Amino acid sequence: NARLTDFEENIRQAREKANSIDRANWHIFDRKDNNEYASYLDDANSVENLAVIFPTIFFAVAVFISLLSMSRMAIEDRSEIGTLKSLGFSNMAIRSKYLLFAFMATAIGGILGSFAGTIIIPQIILNAYRMMLEMPIFAYSKNLLPILIGMALSILCICGATLITINGLVKEKTTELLRPKAPLKGKKVFLENIKFIWSRINFSNKIAIRNIFRYKKRIGMTVLGIAGCTMLL
């Protein structure tokens, strides 16, 4: 009985000590609280946000390049277009020739770009991350909808730019198309009015400056293309 009393006293003291201990605070963490995982997730979200901006700029640059390329091709093929019209080919048949060319180039480029964008480029990015992180097996996306939408937009933009370029040319008279296009009229540039600057520029640079103002469309496309690429960088 004496041992039992001592035992009960010890239990009572132990309970008092337990009751005097402050309530414990639980800290529950998941994988998002891991620094490496959170860093990788932030990078993935950043790339996802950029994926909204980049295609817009790429489409704009592609349209500019298509306008410039097709306009140059159309100018070089003026006599050929005039010959086709004189042989009885309709304007629609001539348009379809250039539209088919633009469509085939866009389709081939879209297929190659889709392969590179879904397999090659992700593998390069993954290898870069594997230098810093322990990466699991990488699964490639098999969602074809964005690829099909991108190719459809590319075909629409580039074929549309081609149609705008060639449409004005086929409406010209056959006799005018068979003759070479007259060169653009040269004009004075504003620098020529500043004599102390213009007189110190050599002849080759004067020609280059005049051509910049003479071919405004080409220089505009070049500036916009380089500005877009630089902005992406």
Side-chain angles (χ1 to χ4, degrees):
N1 290 333
R3 296 285 298 274
L4 182 59
T5 302
D6 292 340
F7 181 76
E8 290 177 348
E9 180 64 22
N10 291 335
I11 292 295
R12 187 186 62 79
Q13 293 177 3
R15 282 176 177 167
E16 289 179 355
K17 288 182 180 179
N19 291 330
S20 64
I21 297 174
D22 294 333
R23 184 177 294 274
N25 294 321
W26 289 86
H27 300 277
I28 300 173
F29 300 97
D30 60 9
R31 60 182 178 178
K32 292 183 180 179
D33 294 303
N34 180 278
N35 289 331
E36 290 185 355
Y37 182 86
S39 175
Y40 178 75
L41 200 63
D42 289 340
D43 291 344
N45 291 332
S46 299
V47 172
E48 187 176 0
N49 293 330
L50 289 174
V52 179
I53 301 171
F54 273 45
T56 306
I57 300 172
F58 286 145
F59 279 126
V61 173
V63 169
F64 288 142
I65 293 173
S66 300
L67 280 171
L68 185 60
S69 300
M70 295 308 297
S71 62
R72 293 187 66 178
M73 180 185 292
I75 291 170
E76 292 172 358
D77 293 351
R78 279 181 63 87
S79 59
E80 182 181 337
I81 294 172
T83 303
L84 290 173
K85 290 189 71 171
S86 65
L87 292 173
F89 285 90
S90 64
N91 291 345
M92 182 56 68
I94 297 171
R95 288 190 192 100
S96 63
K97 169 183 180 265
Y98 291 93
L99 286 174
L100 181 62
F101 174 84
F103 174 80
M104 292 298 294
T106 308
I108 293 171
I111 293 170
L112 295 176
S114 300
F115 175 77
T118 55
I119 296 177
I120 297 176
I121 295 177
Q123 187 63 43
I124 294 172
I125 296 173
L126 180 65
N127 291 334
Y129 273 106
R130 277 178 173 162
M131 297 178 184
M132 302 177 290
L133 304 172
E134 187 67 28
M135 299 292 295
I137 297 173
F138 187 74
Y140 292 101
S141 173
K142 295 181 177 62
N143 187 7
L144 294 177
L145 183 60
I147 296 174
L148 295 176
I149 293 174
M151 289 186 65
L153 287 173
S154 299
I155 292 171
L156 181 65
C157 293
I158 294 176
C159 289
T162 303
L163 184 62
I164 291 171
T165 303
I166 205 68
N167 200 39
L169 197 61
V170 296
K171 288 182 178 179
E172 294 185 23
K173 294 180 180 180
T174 305
T175 52
E176 294 177 358
L177 290 171
L178 290 172
R179 290 196 301 265
K181 188 176 181 180
L184 294 174
K185 184 180 178 181
K187 296 179 181 179
K188 280 190 174 185
V189 298
F190 70 93
L191 280 176
E192 294 187 49
N193 298 321
I194 309 174
K195 299 297 183 181
F196 70 92
I197 295 178
W198 188 253
S199 61
R200 288 172 171 77
I201 301 175
N202 60 39
F203 179 77
S204 299
N205 291 336
K206 286 180 180 178
I207 296 297
I209 293 170
R210 281 175 175 164
N211 284 335
I212 287 173
F213 290 93
R214 190 179 181 187
Y215 303 103
K216 297 181 180 67
K217 186 177 179 181
R218 293 183 186 178
I219 193 66
M221 296 294 182
T222 305
V223 169
L224 287 173
I226 294 174
C229 296
T230 308
M231 181 169 60
L232 292 178
L233 291 175

